[in-house]
Amino acid sequence: MLQALRVFRNTSAARCASRISRNGRISATSAATFSVRRSATTKADTLSPHYTQVYNPAQTVGYDKLDTFARRHFGPSPDNVQLMLLKLGYKDFDEFLSATVPAHVLIKRKLAVLPENGYTELQMLEHLEKLAGKNKIVRSFIGKGYYGTHVPPVIQRNLLESPEWYTSYTPYQPEISQGRLESLLNYQTMVSSLTGLPMANASLLDEGTAAAEAMAMSFHNLRGKKAKYVVDSQVHPQTIDVIQSRASKLGVELVFLQLNTNEGVAELENIAAETCGALVQYPATNGQLSDYERVGEIVHANKGLFAVATDLLALTLLKSPADFGADIALGNSQRFGVPFGYGGPHAAFFASTDKFSRKMPGRIVGVSKDRLGNQALRLALQTREQHIKREKATSNICTAQALLANMAAMYAVWHGPQGLKNIASRVYGYTAVLAAQIADNSAHKIQNSAFFDTITIELSGVSADEVLQTALEKHNINIFKVDDSSVSVSFDETVTKEELAGLVEVFTGKQADLPAELPRIPSEWLRSDEILTNEVFNTHHSETAMLRYLHLLQSKDLSLANSMIPLGSCTMKLNATVEMQLLSLPGFAYIHPFAPVNQAEGYKEMVDEFEKDLSDITGFAATTLMPNSGAQGEYTGLALIRQYFKARGEFEKRNICLIPVSAHGTNPASAAMCGLKVVPVKCLEDGLIDLVDMQAKAEKHKDNLCAIMITYPSTYGLFEPGVRQVIDTIHNAGGLVYLDGANMNAQVGLTSPGDLGADVCHLNIHKTFALSHGGGGPGQGPVCVAKHLVPYLPKHHFIDVPHVTEESIKAVNSAPFGSAAVIPVSYSYIKMLGSTGLPYASALAILNANYMLYRLKDVFNIMFVDHSEGKGIKHCAHEFIIDLREFKAAGIEAIDVAKRLQDYGFHAPTMSFPVAGTLMIEPTESENLEELDRFVEAMLSIRKEIDAHANGEAWGQVLKNAPHPLNDIISSSQEDWAARGYTREQAAFPLPYLKTSKCWPTVARVDDSYGDINLMCTCPSVEEVAGEA
Ligand SMILES: Cc1ncc(COP(=O)(O)O)c(C=O)c1O
């Protein structure tokens, strides 16, 4: 393969590079002469008549099923398509695509996805049920950070399964997001209360990556001057793997010590001067409870940070990490009402002291006020999104786990402090009973001197495998094998008396004689402070109250249930009910990620098929599903490239990553996390990559070039004709090409990263492949690679994932298949559209965007697209950018338009990315013509308001005061309204459709600066609420 790559470098790359002219553009002839890397033997059909067939295969009533999916997913009907095409000057879809996508890019290789014409909805459900049925539900006592939990039905149905919650976007527009912001604030407050640390974020991806973030934060806190990081050997093994994977790129040296022993503490003392921090697990992975006060003291005395991976249920009873000096507490909130789901999605938590508020990774919800002086929530300190700092970022977290954090927060709201303590006490009681029975009635030895929910048992006279077999065969119970002669058992809230009796029998061979009362946790371990004292955790305990609280919050928010969310670079397409419906099937939900693989055969079948389809769609050789966000995918892809060079002895040497200035902030952040030095590549005025600059930099750094990261179509929404020149030039200079697949929605079935010649890409299945955005997560960022990178795909500590070799990189996430429980969503999307439907998803996404562009181009400046024949790029890809900077002189900014759109019932497009002062619109294929037109009409109406403002007409002020919540319309004084220059009617109902249906903002424009200056990131306490009253 390497040889093939070299040949390729020497021939086409050299030829191509020379065709880049001095002004950074390519000559007209060069693009067409590039050879296609993969020959497209059969081509996808994108002719208009074929769309009619794909849209509705059952043209006449016959034997075939009528519940076809394409017409449910695609917004535009065939008639709509023809109408839009005519407006754009085309007769046929194919003709339009040929004019939009450069010829050497538009490959249209026929996908191998089966069934070719897609399953019908019912067939899909039956297929998924069958797969779920192949997973064996065994009661899990495996633990290791994943525990059984009862998902409260009121939360399952009204949050997890409610489109108002799962189809909303990250709450960047706070005025239409107060519901989920409140719920995330509850999450932060819950984490803060239980860990005892004042600052908590609104979730991270999983416990392993949260621990790696703690390590990186400790390292950067001392500016990289101390390279040792101490990890207790009783941290969960999967967490250790993720930390190791990250540490190796940053140059951090990990030291493993037994920090609950005197020897371990003495060793820590010896190296503390060179150590930037330490991490312990409390309770430890073997279940042991220890006091780590001395560890904290040593770390602090040497200016390091002390991090504690912990368990929220245990903390309802146990002393908090803050009690023994933790600077950081982290962990997984899964057992607060989120099922196993074969490893995720679950929300990790991360808390720290105030001192590190600006260094914490992830998003934080803060309390601020709105234009009218009322309390309002919003995402605090935009620096939370560390990747905004680009290559100076210390974390690349973007999408996190908002939906799951909301579930966990609501679980705490539902049970309240006493309810949670009761659950925890019962869990402890069960554990203690088993421990006592084993100690009293068997020769086995309990290794723990103190525990909460887990005990490790040193076996006597029987092997671990035999115990596991008895437990499984006689009691349908999984326990954890520590080594050949010891096992561990972890309890959770779902345990029954019968199961406890079964476990007693497994270990003692006797019938259980259970004590009348459950033992209580020894007082020396108990916390003495009150937990969860806030009103919200002490109010909604009846189902009526809870249902109304959930409904109250969701009704404050705009989601896809209300209107289109035209966020460029985010692809907020339909998350079809049929795709989401079976997420909660027990066969998918109740499988522990480290269960024996023969109990997860349904998952295996689905994972294999999904990986195969993604590899086909991207034109690559193999795929890993491990990364659980796009940014994690970027990190993984770059780590694979680094490993590729390591295998060639070039790890140290090849440390430069070229990244165009237009790239998403996670790109440079991920490169920095991979230990790469970022060299920016310029873009030209027309949005294209400056090929001359790119070539010069590739040439300059050719001895050290590791990779380039490009996004295709570019973040400017363009099918850059020079993409192949970029790829060839980088290959020619010895580097590899990372293609950010966040914009894959314009590629599927039309072209692909592999066909273009890239080496690796990630996909955001929470964009292109219809997984719901969940208000900021879950996500999944599969990484697809060319053949030469396959040997390095990540392995997992506990589970044999595909493609593992000696050279595989360590795990990048805690779970083997990332957020496996959401795979059915994207899998169904692919399987219901089939190989014939998928190319139309891209084609329609491109058509919808161009139709909107066409309708708006005469009143707004559209960036980088020149609609007049012959000059520049004629059509956008699946998104386009409206330039609002021309209105700045008249006092109008992008934010005014974004906020005013809320009065029209819309979520704003992506604001000021990738260019400040702009809006980037991406309609997706699932919006119909009526909705596209409704949005266009809103924009045209806003344009008139801009003109009014520019002309000094008083009513133009409507933009500056936007959005207008009901309390402004109804309660602001008569004098106030009289002075505004516009009426309440103009404010609230600028277009007639709003009188029949409107999603209202619930607060007025939120004051970001006030919130940042007066940072408050937990719910007000009962005292504060009382004080205000
Ligand atoms: C172009 C691009 N790359 C990468 C990402 C990061 O993906 P994620 O948010 O899943 O981490 C995004 C997210 O919006 C993006 O737009």
Side-chain angles (χ1 to χ4, degrees):
M1 178 62 218
L2 185 64
Q3 206 180 358
L5 204 66
R6 278 208 201 101
V7 171
F8 163 70
R9 279 175 198 155
N10 295 342
T11 53
S12 59
R15 280 202 315 274
C16 306
S18 65
R19 291 197 189 93
I20 301 167
S21 71
R22 274 164 192 277
N23 64 2
R25 295 166 207 286
I26 48 162
S27 66
T29 52
S30 61
T33 56
F34 282 101
S35 60
V36 175
R37 268 61 161 189
R38 286 173 57 139
S39 54
T41 39
T42 325
K43 292 233 172 199
D45 186 345
T46 47
L47 291 165
S48 287
H50 189 240
Y51 178 57
T52 309
Q53 185 63 34
V54 166
Y55 183 78
N56 195 359
Q59 298 285 316
T60 53
V61 176
Y63 285 105
D64 288 342
K65 295 251 190 167
L66 298 175
D67 58 328
T68 54
F69 177 67
R71 71 203 158 108
R72 307 298 184 193
H73 179 79
F74 296 143
S77 66
D79 287 348
N80 288 168
V81 167
Q82 283 316 110
L83 204 142
M84 289 193 278
L85 285 172
L86 278 181
K87 278 247 188 285
L88 294 169
Y90 300 96
K91 289 205 195 76
D92 192 273
F93 226 146
D94 223 24
E95 194 192 337
F96 162 71
L97 287 173
S98 300
T100 305
V101 189
H104 60 286
V105 171
L106 187 61
I107 292 157
K108 294 205 285 187
R109 172 175 49 83
K110 178 104 170 71
L111 298 175
V113 171
L114 293 175
E116 198 176 336
N117 295 322
Y119 285 126
T120 69
E121 294 194 353
L122 198 64
Q123 284 169 342
M124 191 70 235
L125 292 174
E126 283 165 2
H127 176 70
L128 284 178
E129 268 167 13
K130 220 160 146 190
L131 287 176
K134 291 184 183 176
N135 295 326
K136 193 161 176 245
I137 301 173
V138 175
R139 293 285 296 119
S140 174
F141 291 78
I142 295 172
K144 298 285 143 200
Y146 303 92
Y147 306 90
T149 177
H150 289 304
V151 186
V154 64
I155 296 176
Q156 173 161 332
R157 170 152 294 213
N158 300 291
L159 197 162
L160 176 64
E161 295 171 355
S162 159
E164 280 95 340
W165 284 93
Y166 66 69
T167 69
S168 56
Y169 185 64
T170 307
Y172 287 121
Q173 294 292 330
E175 299 85 359
I176 43 171
S177 314
Q178 289 295 302
R180 57 193 187 277
L181 281 164
E182 178 170 326
S183 181
L184 291 172
L185 189 75
N186 293 344
Y187 182 77
Q188 292 175 185
T189 307
M190 169 187 88
V191 171
S192 171
S193 171
L194 294 177
T195 59
L197 291 166
M199 294 287 304
N201 70 16
S203 78
L204 289 181
L205 294 168
D206 61 20
E207 183 162 334
T209 51
E213 296 284 353
M215 183 257 314
M217 194 171 131
S218 309
F219 179 63
H220 293 296
N221 183 47
L222 297 181
R223 297 176 196 282
K225 285 185 193 141
K226 295 187 181 183
K228 285 195 167 67
Y229 190 74
V230 173
V231 180
D232 183 46
S233 38
Q234 285 301 328
V235 168
H236 290 319
Q238 73 274 15
T239 302
I240 290 181
D241 270 19
V242 179
I243 299 176
Q244 283 178 321
S245 156
R246 291 270 189 97
S248 62
K249 318 290 178 319
L250 284 179
V252 174
E253 182 197 337
L254 296 179
V255 181
F256 294 94
L257 298 176
Q258 273 192 288
L259 292 173
N260 65 351
T261 64
N262 291 338
E263 299 75 42
V265 172
E267 282 183 61
L268 173 67
E269 222 155 2
N270 285 340
I271 57 165
E274 308 136 59
T275 300
C276 62
L279 171 73
V280 300
Q281 185 103 39
Y282 165 79
T285 195
N286 62 358
Q288 180 64 31
L289 281 182
S290 307
D291 185 338
Y292 296 102
E293 198 166 340
R294 183 70 196 123
V295 174
E297 282 168 6
I298 298 170
V299 173
H300 290 151
N302 290 278
K303 297 196 168 56
L305 298 187
F306 179 35
V308 178
T310 187
D311 178 288
L312 293 181
L313 190 65
L315 294 185
T316 62
L317 297 176
L318 302 182
K319 280 181 193 150
S320 74
D323 258 4
F324 48 82
D327 302 291
I328 299 168
L330 59 97
N332 182 357
S333 61
Q334 175 266 323
R335 74 189 313 176
F336 274 25
V338 184
F340 291 126
Y342 203 38
H346 311 132
F349 60 87
F350 195 99
S352 90
T353 59
D354 281 329
K355 196 170 154 203
F356 301 105
S357 62
R358 275 162 207 268
K359 294 192 169 153
M360 271 176 68
R363 298 167 175 146
I364 295 199
V365 176
V367 183
S368 186
K369 58 176 189 168
D370 72 359
R371 180 176 61 80
L372 304 172
N374 298 320
Q375 182 179 294
L377 308 176
R378 88 309 177 228
L379 289 179
L381 294 170
Q382 296 308 307
T383 51
R384 294 281 168 253
E385 297 251 2
Q386 288 245 10
H387 59 79
I388 291 169
K389 299 183 194 164
R390 300 188 81 81
E391 64 274 13
K392 296 206 175 48
T394 52
S395 160
N396 66 348
I397 289 287
C398 184
T399 291
Q401 301 279 18
L403 189 72
L404 301 313
N406 287 333
M407 283 181 77
M410 288 299 177
Y411 178 90
V413 169
W414 175 239
H415 288 294
Q418 196 51 51
L420 293 174
K421 280 174 186 246
N422 291 348
I423 293 170
S425 301
R426 183 171 173 275
V427 165
Y428 171 77
Y430 267 71
T431 318
V433 169
L434 180 65
Q437 295 269 332
I438 293 173
D440 294 347
N441 300 317
S442 79
H444 311 313
K445 218 173 124 205
I446 307 292
Q447 287 184 339
N448 314 67
S449 54
F451 52 81
F452 165 62
D453 65 355
T454 299
I455 48 173
T456 299
I457 304 135
E458 210 179 299
L459 300 167
S460 167
V462 60
S463 73
D465 286 334
E466 285 164 337
V467 171
L468 257 59
Q469 195 182 351
T470 313
L472 180 62
E473 287 176 2
K474 285 189 79 177
H475 304 282
N476 196 38
I477 280 176
N478 279 333
I479 55 182
F480 183 75
K481 177 178 171 181
V482 178
D483 55 36
D484 287 345
S485 57
S486 48
V487 297
S488 70
V489 181
S490 294
F491 286 84
D492 60 54
E493 68 163 317
T494 63
V495 64
T496 64
K497 223 170 157 184
E498 292 68 38
E499 287 162 353
L500 176 61
L503 283 164
V504 170
E505 199 189 311
V506 168
F507 287 102
T508 66
K510 298 186 184 121
Q511 292 284 318
D513 180 16
L514 302 179
E517 284 190 16
L518 290 178
R520 303 255 148 192
I521 200 155
S523 58
E524 63 190 282
W525 294 105
L526 290 180
R527 64 192 298 161
S528 53
D529 55 338
E530 295 286 299
I531 57 163
L532 304 175
T533 51
N534 317 74
E535 194 182 354
V536 70
F537 299 113
N538 293 280
T539 312
H540 311 290
H541 301 327
S542 77
E543 179 151 339
T544 307
M546 187 67 184
L547 179 65
R548 288 180 188 158
Y549 183 54
L550 285 163
H551 187 75
L552 170 76
L553 296 196
Q554 85 178 35
S555 66
K556 292 182 178 190
D557 290 4
L558 187 145
S559 72
L560 283 176
N562 300 101
S563 53
M564 76 190 285
I565 301 184
L567 281 158
S569 198
C570 293
T571 314
M572 296 290 289
K573 63 169 67 173
L574 169 77
N575 319 125
T577 314
V578 59
E579 293 153 2
M580 300 292 293
Q581 199 176 343
L582 299 186
L583 272 189
S584 327
L585 268 187
F588 289 133
Y590 299 161
I591 310 295
H592 189 287
F594 309 151
V597 282
N598 63 5
Q599 293 173 16
E601 276 169 7
Y603 263 120
K604 182 169 170 7
E605 199 175 315
M606 181 168 57
V607 160
D608 287 350
E609 185 70 9
F610 189 48
E611 285 187 0
K612 196 173 89 196
D613 284 348
L614 293 183
S615 300
D616 178 39
I617 287 168
T618 55
F620 280 130
T623 295
T624 171
L625 301 179
M626 200 181 285
N628 49 15
S629 76
Q632 274 306 107
E634 291 170 18
Y635 166 80
T636 308
L638 291 174
L640 296 172
I641 293 179
R642 295 222 73 189
Q643 189 75 351
Y644 168 88
F645 285 122
K646 191 172 181 186
R648 281 148 190 78
E650 295 184 306
F651 179 83
E652 306 291 340
K653 185 176 124 178
R654 295 213 171 260
N655 65 350
I656 300 271
C657 188
L658 302 186
I659 302 184
V661 290
S662 60
H664 193 259
T666 50
N667 286 192
S670 301
M673 278 167 57
C674 259
L676 292 169
K677 195 165 166 281
V678 175
V679 173
V681 174
K682 289 183 197 155
C683 284
L684 298 169
E685 267 180 19
D686 58 9
L688 303 182
I689 291 180
D690 182 338
L691 296 177
V692 171
D693 189 52
M694 183 274 304
Q695 197 181 356
K697 286 180 175 153
E699 181 61 27
K700 179 173 171 200
H701 297 289
K702 70 173 186 300
D703 292 339
N704 308 101
L705 190 61
C706 178
I708 192 168
M709 294 183 89
I710 50 171
T711 305
Y712 203 73
S714 74
T715 51
Y716 291 152
L718 305 175
F719 279 111
E720 300 201 42
V723 61
R724 290 203 157 176
Q725 280 87 335
V726 174
I727 292 171
D728 293 345
T729 306
I730 298 303
H731 282 160
N732 204 32
L736 296 190
V737 177
Y738 185 98
L739 200 144
D740 179 328
N743 288 348
M744 195 68 198
N745 207 40
Q747 286 197 47
V748 177
L750 304 182
T751 185
S752 80
D755 287 294
L756 291 173
D759 301 283
V760 47
C761 76
H762 82 262
L763 301 171
N764 285 7
I765 72 164
H766 45 300
K767 296 181 177 180
T768 312
F769 297 100
L771 172 61
S772 57
H773 197 80
Q780 179 94 321
V783 168
C784 314
V785 295
K787 215 168 163 186
H788 47 288
L789 292 176
V790 177
Y792 313 112
L793 287 172
K795 59 184 168 194
H796 191 270
H797 191 92
F798 291 116
I799 300 294
D800 270 344
V801 292
H803 315 295
V804 173
T805 70
E806 289 283 294
E807 296 175 290
S808 294
I809 62 168
K810 290 241 175 202
V812 291
N813 284 108
S814 295
F817 304 103
S819 298
V822 293
I823 294 173
V825 180
S826 299
Y827 175 76
S828 315
Y829 168 78
I830 291 174
K831 290 300 185 195
M832 285 190 291
L833 286 182
S835 60
T836 46
L838 283 166
Y840 282 103
S842 311
L844 287 164
I846 298 170
L847 180 64
N848 275 0
N850 278 285
Y851 170 75
M852 290 180 86
L853 184 155
Y854 175 85
R855 285 214 56 201
L856 291 168
K857 73 181 168 50
D858 294 334
V859 293
F860 288 103
N861 274 334
I862 311 290
M863 292 190 83
F864 311 130
V865 178
D866 189 340
H867 223 259
S868 55
E869 207 64 52
K871 281 197 207 145
I873 290 197
K874 192 175 170 198
H875 294 302
C876 65
H878 62 316
E879 59 193 6
F880 63 99
I881 301 174
I882 291 186
D883 190 350
L884 298 169
R885 290 172 298 185
E886 60 173 315
F887 305 121
K888 203 164 176 185
I892 296 298
E893 314 243 12
I895 192 166
D896 300 318
V897 176
K899 298 300 172 194
R900 183 62 177 148
L901 271 166
Q902 293 178 14
D903 286 333
Y904 286 82
F906 284 110
H907 193 291
T910 300
M911 198 176 77
S912 292
F913 171 76
V915 184
T918 64
L919 294 179
M920 179 157 61
I921 299 175
E922 179 183 355
T924 84
E925 73 279 11
S926 32
E927 296 302 336
N928 63 24
L929 187 56
E930 289 73 30
E931 187 68 353
L932 303 183
D933 281 336
R934 207 167 66 88
F935 184 83
V936 167
E937 294 305 327
M939 287 300 289
L940 296 178
S941 176
I942 288 175
R943 179 60 222 260
K944 288 187 193 137
E945 294 168 357
I946 296 175
D947 286 343
H949 194 271
N951 296 333
E953 293 168 43
W955 69 279
Q957 197 60 17
V958 73
L959 283 162
K960 297 305 274 183
N961 289 337
H964 298 81
L966 261 177
N967 68 337
D968 187 22
I969 301 290
I970 292 169
S971 305
S972 292
S973 70
Q974 203 61 24
E975 303 83 73
D976 181 26
W977 275 101
R980 291 199 195 190
Y982 60 93
T983 64
R984 297 171 208 254
E985 177 102 359
Q986 277 172 305
F989 300 134
L991 287 175
Y993 70 81
L994 292 158
K995 287 196 178 161
T996 47
S997 159
K998 166 161 169 149
C999 173
W1000 287 85
T1002 55
V1003 294
R1005 198 178 297 194
V1006 175
D1007 187 338
D1008 281 327
S1009 342
Y1010 176 87
D1012 284 346
I1013 294 163
N1014 305 284
L1015 191 60
M1016 187 171 140
C1017 301
T1018 50
C1019 302
S1021 65
V1022 178
E1023 290 82 338
E1024 278 161 337
V1025 172
E1028 274 167 23

